[in-house]
Amino acid sequence: EIVMTQSPATLSMSPGERVTLSCRASQSISSNLAWYQQKPGQAPRLLIYGASTRATGIPPRFSGSGSGTEFTLTISSLQSEDFAVYYCQQYNNGYTFGQGTKLEIK
Amino acid sequence: QVQLVESGGGLVKPGGSLRLSCAASGFSISDYYMTWIRQAPGKGLEWISCISRSATDKYYADSVKGRFTISRDSAKNSLYLQMNGLRVEDTAVYYCARDQEYSSTWYGSWGQGTLVTVSS
């Protein structure tokens, strides 16, 4: 099973700041990676697929990069609605999620 | 627009059974792979099972293989998850999600989830 490791577990940031979340795969997954945002009491929302393609309706401040085993999700200027938990998911071999990064207000 | 509505969750004793349903609207489930994903309280996401658009291919996580069965009814445009031999560790919110047309990859649409609690 491919293990997805996200870092850090928690990130405290202020609105307007730029933030980068990391996701590492235990073996190469090419670009077969998606990112999701989840707010309390809500279902996850797809942000990025194919490591770097924004899903429909996702603002351009969200961007994804990486391939192989190292991936990042960047939010260029944090808005109040961006504070949430973020998950990465690989679909190269089976389907596994990272444990999540909680983005909280500083 | 695409909508997925899960139902069927509840409290069940260990060893018991439940059948979850996911009613889809705004698209035909016969045109997409469909997937079940769960989230234990305060925990992360776990892929459980998916079914191909033809319903001939079904896949399961090792944690539920042999106990859970995924199915669908195209006439009702609904997805199901039959859960037998439930364990305490199956306690979670169960989400259905729409996959892609020709493969199972990422999940663009999710239901609101239904809570399954396994406890004596």
Tab-separated table of all heavy atoms in Angstrom, chain A residues 34 36 38 41-46 48-50 87 89-91 95-99, chain B residues 37 39 43-47 50 59 95 99 103-108 110-113:
chain	number	residue	atom	x	y	z
A	34	ALA	N	-4.451	14.100	-5.897
A	34	ALA	CA	-5.512	15.098	-5.743
A	34	ALA	C	-5.413	15.737	-4.364
A	34	ALA	O	-4.870	15.137	-3.429
A	34	ALA	CB	-6.882	14.449	-5.921
A	36	TYR	N	-7.847	17.888	-1.431
A	36	TYR	CA	-9.203	18.197	-0.992
A	36	TYR	C	-9.141	19.143	0.210
A	36	TYR	O	-8.207	19.094	1.010
A	36	TYR	CB	-9.956	16.934	-0.551
A	36	TYR	CG	-10.088	15.901	-1.634
A	36	TYR	CD1	-9.079	14.966	-1.837
A	36	TYR	CD2	-11.212	15.854	-2.458
A	36	TYR	CE1	-9.180	14.009	-2.835
A	36	TYR	CE2	-11.321	14.901	-3.456
A	36	TYR	CZ	-10.307	13.994	-3.641
A	36	TYR	OH	-10.412	13.050	-4.637
A	38	GLN	N	-11.512	20.238	3.574
A	38	GLN	CA	-12.671	19.847	4.362
A	38	GLN	C	-12.860	20.799	5.535
A	38	GLN	O	-11.937	21.006	6.319
A	38	GLN	CB	-12.550	18.407	4.886
A	38	GLN	CG	-13.820	17.923	5.562
A	38	GLN	CD	-13.725	16.488	6.050
A	38	GLN	OE1	-12.670	16.016	6.463
A	38	GLN	NE2	-14.845	15.775	6.003
A	41	GLY	N	-17.880	19.505	9.746
A	41	GLY	CA	-19.252	19.128	9.463
A	41	GLY	C	-19.600	19.056	7.995
A	41	GLY	O	-20.768	18.852	7.647
A	42	GLN	N	-18.618	19.217	7.133
A	42	GLN	CA	-18.869	19.186	5.696
A	42	GLN	C	-18.108	18.050	5.029
A	42	GLN	O	-17.133	17.529	5.572
A	42	GLN	CB	-18.452	20.505	5.045
A	42	GLN	CG	-19.243	21.715	5.505
A	42	GLN	CD	-18.854	22.971	4.749
A	42	GLN	OE1	-18.243	22.931	3.676
A	42	GLN	NE2	-19.228	24.142	5.296
A	43	ALA	N	-18.570	17.691	3.838
A	43	ALA	CA	-17.847	16.715	3.025
A	43	ALA	C	-16.603	17.377	2.436
A	43	ALA	O	-16.543	18.602	2.305
A	43	ALA	CB	-18.751	16.213	1.899
A	44	PRO	N	-15.619	16.577	2.095
A	44	PRO	CA	-14.444	17.137	1.406
A	44	PRO	C	-14.845	17.761	0.069
A	44	PRO	O	-15.842	17.376	-0.547
A	44	PRO	CB	-13.547	15.921	1.197
A	44	PRO	CG	-13.952	14.972	2.277
A	44	PRO	CD	-15.436	15.156	2.398
A	45	ARG	N	-14.028	18.715	-0.364
A	45	ARG	CA	-14.244	19.420	-1.628
A	45	ARG	C	-12.981	19.279	-2.455
A	45	ARG	O	-11.882	19.558	-1.955
A	45	ARG	CB	-14.526	20.885	-1.336
A	45	ARG	CG	-14.590	21.828	-2.535
A	45	ARG	CD	-14.490	23.256	-2.012
A	45	ARG	NE	-14.593	24.271	-3.050
A	45	ARG	CZ	-14.212	25.531	-2.888
A	45	ARG	NH1	-13.719	25.936	-1.722
A	45	ARG	NH2	-14.347	26.395	-3.874
A	46	LEU	N	-13.127	18.832	-3.691
A	46	LEU	CA	-11.969	18.668	-4.573
A	46	LEU	C	-11.390	20.020	-4.951
A	46	LEU	O	-12.121	20.907	-5.407
A	46	LEU	CB	-12.383	17.906	-5.838
A	46	LEU	CG	-11.309	17.722	-6.906
A	46	LEU	CD1	-10.223	16.772	-6.413
A	46	LEU	CD2	-11.929	17.224	-8.209
A	48	ILE	N	-7.731	20.142	-6.402
A	48	ILE	CA	-6.708	19.907	-7.412
A	48	ILE	C	-6.707	18.438	-7.789
A	48	ILE	O	-6.867	17.582	-6.912
A	48	ILE	CB	-5.293	20.257	-6.871
A	48	ILE	CG1	-5.199	21.718	-6.419
A	48	ILE	CG2	-4.200	19.911	-7.885
A	48	ILE	CD1	-5.080	22.729	-7.526
A	49	TYR	N	-6.529	18.126	-9.076
A	49	TYR	CA	-6.293	16.761	-9.508
A	49	TYR	C	-5.166	16.766	-10.515
A	49	TYR	O	-4.777	17.825	-11.023
A	49	TYR	CB	-7.562	16.119	-10.078
A	49	TYR	CG	-8.117	16.820	-11.298
A	49	TYR	CD1	-7.717	16.463	-12.580
A	49	TYR	CD2	-9.054	17.837	-11.165
A	49	TYR	CE1	-8.222	17.100	-13.700
A	49	TYR	CE2	-9.569	18.491	-12.266
A	49	TYR	CZ	-9.146	18.114	-13.538
A	49	TYR	OH	-9.648	18.754	-14.627
A	50	GLY	N	-4.611	15.580	-10.774
A	50	GLY	CA	-3.459	15.523	-11.669
A	50	GLY	C	-2.291	16.335	-11.147
A	50	GLY	O	-1.481	16.839	-11.940
A	87	TYR	N	-6.420	17.489	2.639
A	87	TYR	CA	-5.981	16.110	2.432
A	87	TYR	C	-5.428	15.940	1.034
A	87	TYR	O	-5.992	16.467	0.074
A	87	TYR	CB	-7.148	15.138	2.589
A	87	TYR	CG	-7.727	15.040	3.982
A	87	TYR	CD1	-8.857	15.773	4.346
A	87	TYR	CD2	-7.155	14.195	4.932
A	87	TYR	CE1	-9.382	15.680	5.615
A	87	TYR	CE2	-7.688	14.093	6.214
A	87	TYR	CZ	-8.802	14.848	6.542
A	87	TYR	OH	-9.327	14.748	7.806
A	89	GLN	N	-4.487	12.848	-1.810
A	89	GLN	CA	-4.949	11.486	-2.130
A	89	GLN	C	-4.239	11.005	-3.378
A	89	GLN	O	-4.182	11.718	-4.377
A	89	GLN	CB	-6.461	11.483	-2.385
A	89	GLN	CG	-7.018	10.148	-2.850
A	89	GLN	CD	-7.852	10.244	-4.120
A	89	GLN	OE1	-8.374	11.291	-4.466
A	89	GLN	NE2	-7.974	9.138	-4.835
A	90	GLN	N	-3.694	9.802	-3.320
A	90	GLN	CA	-3.073	9.225	-4.512
A	90	GLN	C	-4.023	8.221	-5.148
A	90	GLN	O	-4.768	7.508	-4.454
A	90	GLN	CB	-1.718	8.589	-4.167
A	90	GLN	CG	-1.770	7.313	-3.341
A	90	GLN	CD	-2.026	6.038	-4.152
A	90	GLN	OE1	-1.821	6.023	-5.370
A	90	GLN	NE2	-2.474	4.988	-3.473
A	91	TYR	N	-3.978	8.178	-6.470
A	91	TYR	CA	-4.800	7.205	-7.206
A	91	TYR	C	-3.945	6.502	-8.268
A	91	TYR	O	-4.459	6.041	-9.291
A	91	TYR	CB	-6.028	7.880	-7.831
A	91	TYR	CG	-5.758	9.159	-8.592
A	91	TYR	CD1	-5.459	9.138	-9.945
A	91	TYR	CD2	-5.820	10.392	-7.942
A	91	TYR	CE1	-5.231	10.320	-10.642
A	91	TYR	CE2	-5.585	11.575	-8.627
A	91	TYR	CZ	-5.287	11.538	-9.978
A	91	TYR	OH	-5.062	12.711	-10.652
A	95	TYR	N	-6.020	3.516	-3.721
A	95	TYR	CA	-6.453	4.874	-3.362
A	95	TYR	C	-6.162	5.088	-1.885
A	95	TYR	O	-6.764	4.429	-1.035
A	95	TYR	CB	-7.955	5.028	-3.629
A	95	TYR	CG	-8.365	4.451	-4.958
A	95	TYR	CD1	-8.839	3.152	-5.035
A	95	TYR	CD2	-8.223	5.181	-6.131
A	95	TYR	CE1	-9.172	2.597	-6.250
A	95	TYR	CE2	-8.555	4.625	-7.355
A	95	TYR	CZ	-9.021	3.331	-7.413
A	95	TYR	OH	-9.344	2.778	-8.612
A	96	THR	N	-5.270	6.013	-1.582
A	96	THR	CA	-4.969	6.304	-0.185
A	96	THR	C	-4.867	7.805	0.021
A	96	THR	O	-4.441	8.546	-0.874
A	96	THR	CB	-3.667	5.634	0.295
A	96	THR	OG1	-2.628	5.866	-0.688
A	96	THR	CG2	-3.845	4.141	0.473
A	97	PHE	N	-5.288	8.205	1.210
A	97	PHE	CA	-5.271	9.610	1.602
A	97	PHE	C	-4.149	9.853	2.614
A	97	PHE	O	-3.770	8.952	3.378
A	97	PHE	CB	-6.597	9.989	2.270
A	97	PHE	CG	-7.784	9.990	1.348
A	97	PHE	CD1	-8.498	8.828	1.125
A	97	PHE	CD2	-8.198	11.157	0.722
A	97	PHE	CE1	-9.600	8.819	0.283
A	97	PHE	CE2	-9.301	11.170	-0.118
A	97	PHE	CZ	-10.003	9.991	-0.340
A	98	GLY	N	-3.671	11.092	2.635
A	98	GLY	CA	-2.797	11.520	3.709
A	98	GLY	C	-3.616	11.722	4.972
A	98	GLY	O	-4.854	11.699	4.946
A	99	GLN	N	-2.937	11.964	6.089
A	99	GLN	CA	-3.626	12.092	7.364
A	99	GLN	C	-4.201	13.497	7.575
A	99	GLN	O	-4.926	13.735	8.531
A	99	GLN	CB	-2.684	11.741	8.529
A	99	GLN	CG	-1.735	12.852	8.950
A	99	GLN	CD	-0.521	13.023	8.037
A	99	GLN	OE1	-0.466	12.508	6.914
A	99	GLN	NE2	0.478	13.749	8.526
B	37	ILE	N	-16.377	6.224	0.621
B	37	ILE	CA	-15.242	6.657	1.439
B	37	ILE	C	-15.774	6.896	2.844
B	37	ILE	O	-16.899	7.386	3.000
B	37	ILE	CB	-14.626	7.944	0.856
B	37	ILE	CG1	-13.984	7.661	-0.497
B	37	ILE	CG2	-13.607	8.565	1.824
B	37	ILE	CD1	-13.768	8.883	-1.351
B	39	GLN	N	-14.969	8.157	7.117
B	39	GLN	CA	-14.154	8.986	7.991
B	39	GLN	C	-14.566	8.721	9.433
B	39	GLN	O	-15.665	9.096	9.852
B	39	GLN	CB	-14.340	10.462	7.641
B	39	GLN	CG	-13.423	11.406	8.399
B	39	GLN	CD	-13.488	12.820	7.837
B	39	GLN	OE1	-14.539	13.297	7.403
B	39	GLN	NE2	-12.346	13.499	7.823
B	43	LYS	N	-10.954	11.626	12.590
B	43	LYS	CA	-9.852	11.003	11.844
B	43	LYS	C	-9.875	11.414	10.379
B	43	LYS	O	-10.683	12.242	9.949
B	43	LYS	CB	-9.959	9.473	11.951
B	43	LYS	CG	-9.941	8.952	13.373
B	43	LYS	CD	-8.616	9.255	14.075
B	43	LYS	CE	-8.595	8.646	15.469
B	43	LYS	NZ	-7.347	8.987	16.201
B	44	GLY	N	-8.960	10.816	9.616
B	44	GLY	CA	-8.855	11.127	8.207
B	44	GLY	C	-9.784	10.292	7.342
B	44	GLY	O	-10.655	9.579	7.832
B	45	LEU	N	-9.560	10.384	6.039
B	45	LEU	CA	-10.420	9.729	5.059
B	45	LEU	C	-9.858	8.360	4.682
B	45	LEU	O	-8.647	8.182	4.561
B	45	LEU	CB	-10.515	10.616	3.809
B	45	LEU	CG	-11.081	12.009	4.057
B	45	LEU	CD1	-10.786	12.923	2.868
B	45	LEU	CD2	-12.592	11.923	4.287
B	46	GLU	N	-10.765	7.413	4.482
B	46	GLU	CA	-10.380	6.053	4.112
B	46	GLU	C	-11.225	5.590	2.937
B	46	GLU	O	-12.454	5.506	3.045
B	46	GLU	CB	-10.543	5.091	5.288
B	46	GLU	CG	-10.150	3.663	4.954
B	46	GLU	CD	-10.456	2.664	6.054
B	46	GLU	OE1	-11.200	3.006	6.999
B	46	GLU	OE2	-9.955	1.522	5.980
B	47	TRP	N	-10.586	5.258	1.828
B	47	TRP	CA	-11.294	4.679	0.680
B	47	TRP	C	-11.790	3.285	1.057
B	47	TRP	O	-11.062	2.495	1.654
B	47	TRP	CB	-10.345	4.599	-0.506
B	47	TRP	CG	-10.941	3.933	-1.698
B	47	TRP	CD1	-11.682	4.507	-2.695
B	47	TRP	CD2	-10.853	2.541	-2.045
B	47	TRP	NE1	-12.054	3.567	-3.616
B	47	TRP	CE2	-11.553	2.350	-3.244
B	47	TRP	CE3	-10.244	1.441	-1.454
B	47	TRP	CZ2	-11.670	1.107	-3.870
B	47	TRP	CZ3	-10.353	0.193	-2.056
B	47	TRP	CH2	-11.064	0.056	-3.248
B	50	CYS	N	-15.230	0.781	-4.622
B	50	CYS	CA	-15.739	1.460	-5.809
B	50	CYS	C	-16.319	0.437	-6.771
B	50	CYS	O	-16.027	-0.763	-6.689
B	50	CYS	CB	-14.682	2.315	-6.481
B	50	CYS	SG	-13.390	1.418	-7.340
B	59	TYR	N	-14.310	-3.155	-6.293
B	59	TYR	CA	-13.056	-3.186	-5.562
B	59	TYR	C	-13.313	-2.806	-4.104
B	59	TYR	O	-14.193	-1.992	-3.812
B	59	TYR	CB	-12.054	-2.207	-6.188
B	59	TYR	CG	-11.814	-2.445	-7.654
B	59	TYR	CD1	-12.552	-1.772	-8.624
B	59	TYR	CD2	-10.867	-3.373	-8.077
B	59	TYR	CE1	-12.358	-2.005	-9.971
B	59	TYR	CE2	-10.651	-3.600	-9.433
B	59	TYR	CZ	-11.402	-2.922	-10.365
B	59	TYR	OH	-11.199	-3.158	-11.708
B	95	TYR	N	-19.334	8.427	3.149
B	95	TYR	CA	-19.636	9.308	2.032
B	95	TYR	C	-19.696	8.495	0.735
B	95	TYR	O	-18.862	7.607	0.527
B	95	TYR	CB	-18.542	10.353	1.846
B	95	TYR	CG	-18.357	11.342	2.973
B	95	TYR	CD1	-17.337	11.184	3.905
B	95	TYR	CD2	-19.175	12.468	3.075
B	95	TYR	CE1	-17.140	12.108	4.929
B	95	TYR	CE2	-18.987	13.392	4.092
B	95	TYR	CZ	-17.961	13.197	5.012
B	95	TYR	OH	-17.774	14.114	6.017
B	99	ASP	N	-17.027	9.426	-9.191
B	99	ASP	CA	-15.661	9.242	-9.670
B	99	ASP	C	-15.581	9.774	-11.099
B	99	ASP	O	-16.294	10.714	-11.456
B	99	ASP	CB	-15.350	7.745	-9.610
B	99	ASP	CG	-13.942	7.470	-9.186
B	99	ASP	OD1	-13.029	8.054	-9.777
B	99	ASP	OD2	-13.764	6.658	-8.274
B	103	SER	N	-12.525	5.522	-15.277
B	103	SER	CA	-11.611	4.964	-14.291
B	103	SER	C	-11.923	5.573	-12.935
B	103	SER	O	-12.693	6.534	-12.835
B	103	SER	CB	-10.154	5.260	-14.660
B	103	SER	OG	-9.943	6.657	-14.689
B	104	SER	N	-11.336	4.985	-11.925
B	104	SER	CA	-11.520	5.514	-10.578
B	104	SER	C	-10.275	6.292	-10.215
B	104	SER	O	-9.167	5.725	-10.203
B	104	SER	CB	-11.743	4.377	-9.588
B	104	SER	OG	-12.022	4.899	-8.305
B	105	THR	N	-10.443	7.570	-9.952
B	105	THR	CA	-9.282	8.432	-9.701
B	105	THR	C	-9.566	9.399	-8.573
B	105	THR	O	-9.356	9.088	-7.424
B	105	THR	CB	-8.920	9.204	-10.979
B	105	THR	OG1	-10.092	9.857	-11.482
B	105	THR	CG2	-8.352	8.279	-12.051
B	106	TRP	N	-10.028	10.602	-8.913
B	106	TRP	CA	-10.365	11.599	-7.909
B	106	TRP	C	-11.877	11.774	-7.842
B	106	TRP	O	-12.599	11.303	-8.711
B	106	TRP	CB	-9.666	12.920	-8.235
B	106	TRP	CG	-10.118	13.559	-9.503
B	106	TRP	CD1	-11.146	14.426	-9.675
B	106	TRP	CD2	-9.553	13.365	-10.805
B	106	TRP	NE1	-11.276	14.779	-10.988
B	106	TRP	CE2	-10.304	14.157	-11.706
B	106	TRP	CE3	-8.478	12.618	-11.297
B	106	TRP	CZ2	-10.011	14.222	-13.068
B	106	TRP	CZ3	-8.193	12.677	-12.641
B	106	TRP	CH2	-8.951	13.455	-13.518
B	107	TYR	N	-12.318	12.465	-6.804
B	107	TYR	CA	-13.742	12.534	-6.510
B	107	TYR	C	-14.225	13.977	-6.531
B	107	TYR	O	-13.944	14.743	-5.623
B	107	TYR	CB	-14.017	11.866	-5.157
B	107	TYR	CG	-13.249	10.567	-5.016
B	107	TYR	CD1	-12.201	10.452	-4.136
B	107	TYR	CD2	-13.553	9.476	-5.830
B	107	TYR	CE1	-11.471	9.278	-4.043
B	107	TYR	CE2	-12.827	8.300	-5.748
B	107	TYR	CZ	-11.778	8.210	-4.853
B	107	TYR	OH	-11.061	7.052	-4.775
B	108	GLY	N	-14.939	14.303	-7.561
B	108	GLY	CA	-15.355	15.692	-7.764
B	108	GLY	C	-16.635	16.070	-7.059
B	108	GLY	O	-16.886	17.253	-6.819
B	110	TRP	N	-19.330	14.879	-3.794
B	110	TRP	CA	-19.523	14.075	-2.597
B	110	TRP	C	-20.921	14.312	-2.032
B	110	TRP	O	-21.477	15.398	-2.161
B	110	TRP	CB	-18.510	14.472	-1.522
B	110	TRP	CG	-17.068	14.288	-1.861
B	110	TRP	CD1	-16.369	14.865	-2.885
B	110	TRP	CD2	-16.137	13.485	-1.152
B	110	TRP	NE1	-15.056	14.470	-2.851
B	110	TRP	CE2	-14.876	13.623	-1.791
B	110	TRP	CE3	-16.204	12.672	-0.026
B	110	TRP	CZ2	-13.726	12.962	-1.355
B	110	TRP	CZ3	-15.057	12.026	0.421
B	110	TRP	CH2	-13.832	12.173	-0.251
B	111	GLY	N	-21.455	13.304	-1.371
B	111	GLY	CA	-22.660	13.504	-0.594
B	111	GLY	C	-22.308	14.131	0.746
B	111	GLY	O	-21.142	14.385	1.046
B	112	GLN	N	-23.334	14.356	1.570
B	112	GLN	CA	-23.119	14.987	2.873
B	112	GLN	C	-22.698	13.984	3.938
B	112	GLN	O	-22.258	14.359	5.022
B	112	GLN	CB	-24.393	15.723	3.325
B	112	GLN	CG	-25.436	14.875	4.034
B	112	GLN	CD	-26.142	13.874	3.119
B	112	GLN	OE1	-26.020	13.940	1.896
B	112	GLN	NE2	-26.899	12.953	3.721
B	113	GLY	N	-22.830	12.706	3.616
B	113	GLY	CA	-22.401	11.654	4.536
B	113	GLY	C	-23.518	11.149	5.427
B	113	GLY	O	-24.499	11.850	5.697
